[in-house]
Amino acid sequence: MNTVGDGTRAVRAGLPEPEQFEPTLPGPVFAAHFHLCGEPTGPYTYGRDTNPTWTHLERAIGELEAPGEPVETTVFASGMAAVSAVLLSQSRTGDVVVLPDDGYQALPLVREQLEAYGVEVRTAPTGGDAQLTVLEGAKLLWIETPSNPGLDVCDVRRLVEAAHAAGTLVAVDNTLATPLGQRPLELGADFSVASDTKGMTGHGDILLGHVTCRDPELAAGVRRWRKVVGAIPGPMEAWLAHRSLATLELRIDRQCATALALAEALVKRQEVTGLRYPGLPTDPSHPNAVRQMRRFGSVVSFVLPDREQAERFLTELRLVDNATSFGGVRSTAERRARWRGDAVPEGFIRFSVGAESPDDLVADVERALDALGES
């Protein structure tokens, strides 16, 4: 299906060949073990290793990550399980790993674990391709673009070229963009990683993650790590995720269009500073984004004057849930500094645009901002 559109691919990805009287998407397979006579040479032996429901989902994600190309995808119980699988399976004592210093707030926890295992960890910001300055001698470069929550975008091709020239592997956290927004493997990365809890499944009711690779040997290392630590998704979660992929383009297109409309409205607000959205032509990341992204994501970030006004803004919203995470069909927003894990101002808002009617959502935000000026 390498010549069809994103919507068609999302709807059809990973489905088995049609079989008379069978469902188009087989139901979840709940099994700890399978019938197994003689030598264990078949595809399904034990539930921690493989499951037919995972197989369908992994094929589907692979088709989205690299249409028409042979890749291997491994699904995990969460995004952090996928992140940890790459970082911990590919590094050894004495290796150097480069991380962003403005990435997802759980990355410092992984850094602590890597350092406890004797791995040297260097960090630099996403913006300005600053990770290039600390790349020398690294075994693995970890890129997060757009970064969460600051929404900086680095030049993936440039970083990959420099890393590969030095013998360094490259992994890209593609959670915010999804494969419909950006395809890291096409940009040269060795690993495309994502928390599918977010935009890929899009309903805020599943914890899931994945890693996709072209290189079978790298994929085998990641899959072995899943087997060793047992970070496996339940079959019901995997089935629900596959079902949710069918609406991926519909959701992402609405969310991205509304996110741009919201950003354009926020530009005009005096209360708002530090506005970031890669799809906005005036955004510092826009030049990089247009070169490598096909859609710019559902997240907008901005800063209100202080903690009190940020909290009041969130309280005044009627169509937006005060909740963490992003990428869901229901809009969410939060004062990100409450987690104490990101270097952001007290009034920093991370806003995840959902699938509500654009005019309604923008009006709700405008009304909540107007309330800040009322006595």
Side-chain angles (χ1 to χ4, degrees):
M1 293 198 302
N2 55 325
T3 60
V4 302
D6 285 340
T8 302
R9 185 175 295 108
V11 168
R12 305 295 306 178
L15 298 181
E17 289 298 316
E19 187 173 340
Q20 185 77 340
F21 308 124
E22 292 296 321
T24 54
L25 176 61
V29 175
F30 299 98
H33 56 265
F34 302 82
H35 289 294
L36 189 64
C37 299
E39 292 299 314
T41 56
Y44 304 110
T45 58
Y46 184 63
R48 192 182 69 253
D49 298 337
T50 50
N51 178 291
T53 310
W54 304 350
T55 299
H56 293 311
L57 175 60
E58 288 172 342
R59 288 174 180 168
I61 293 173
E63 290 176 24
L64 296 173
E65 287 276 12
E69 297 184 32
V71 296
E72 294 189 32
T73 295
T74 305
V75 291
F76 289 85
S78 70
M80 279 307 299
V83 169
S84 300
V86 174
L87 287 167
L88 295 172
S89 73
Q90 300 302 316
S91 55
R92 303 287 185 273
T93 299
D95 285 343
V96 175
V97 170
V98 175
L99 301 178
D101 65 10
D102 55 348
Y104 179 54
Q105 63 166 358
L107 275 182
L109 300 177
V110 183
R111 175 180 183 169
E112 291 177 9
Q113 193 61 60
L114 288 168
E115 291 175 336
Y117 290 152
V119 176
E120 179 186 344
V121 180
R122 302 172 188 158
T123 64
T126 299
D129 300 338
Q131 288 174 291
L132 289 172
T133 64
V134 293
L135 194 57
E136 184 177 356
K139 171 71 179 300
L140 176 67
L141 167 64
W142 184 271
I143 297 170
E144 185 179 304
T145 182
S147 61
N148 173 28
L151 303 183
D152 275 320
V153 175
C154 61
D155 186 335
V156 175
R157 289 187 184 90
R158 182 185 180 201
L159 268 69
V160 165
E161 182 178 352
H164 284 175
T168 304
L169 295 170
V170 180
V172 176
D173 185 333
N174 200 42
T175 300
L176 199 145
T178 81
L180 265 60
Q182 180 173 263
R183 293 189 181 128
L185 300 184
E186 288 185 358
L187 300 173
D190 301 289
F191 304 90
S192 180
V193 188
S195 168
D196 301 319
T197 307
K198 314 297 195 298
M200 283 286 276
T201 58
H203 290 77
D205 53 9
I206 302 171
L207 291 175
L208 202 76
H210 82 266
V211 179
T212 301
C213 317
R214 279 201 183 93
D215 186 327
E217 186 174 345
L218 294 177
V222 170
R223 197 169 292 266
R224 181 180 181 277
W225 181 265
R226 181 181 69 179
K227 178 177 180 176
V228 169
V229 301
I232 59 173
M236 191 67 195
E237 285 78 7
W239 185 86
L240 287 170
H242 197 166
R243 180 209 59 174
S244 298
L245 290 181
T247 60
L248 181 59
E249 186 193 46
L250 298 173
R251 292 185 280 107
I252 295 295
D253 280 352
R254 165 61 74 88
Q255 290 168 302
C256 291
T258 305
L260 179 59
L262 176 61
E264 290 171 341
L266 290 172
V267 164
K268 304 171 186 176
R269 302 293 308 208
Q270 293 186 348
E271 317 94 316
V272 171
T273 59
L275 174 66
R276 298 299 305 270
Y277 181 65
L280 203 61
T282 55
D283 189 274
S285 287
H286 189 70
N288 271 342
V290 295
R291 285 195 296 268
Q292 66 193 30
M293 298 183 72
R294 299 157 58 236
R295 295 171 174 86
F296 301 111
S298 63
V299 178
V300 177
S301 67
F302 55 95
V303 181
L304 294 175
D306 53 39
R307 174 175 178 167
E308 181 181 0
Q309 292 195 55
E311 294 285 6
R312 185 176 178 190
F313 166 73
L314 294 170
T315 301
E316 291 287 342
L317 292 168
R318 296 292 176 265
L319 300 179
V320 182
D321 296 329
N322 190 338
T324 195
S325 199
F326 58 85
V329 291
R330 289 173 288 278
S331 291
T332 61
E334 69 172 336
R335 191 180 66 83
R336 193 64 186 166
R338 65 182 176 175
W339 295 102
R340 306 300 176 200
D342 299 306
V344 295
E346 287 293 323
F348 184 99
I349 301 292
R350 186 181 70 179
F351 195 109
S352 172
V353 174
E356 298 87 359
S357 297
D359 290 347
D360 294 338
L361 187 64
V362 172
D364 190 42
V365 171
E366 296 268 22
R367 184 194 51 74
L369 289 172
D370 289 341
L372 301 182
E374 298 173 359
S375 56

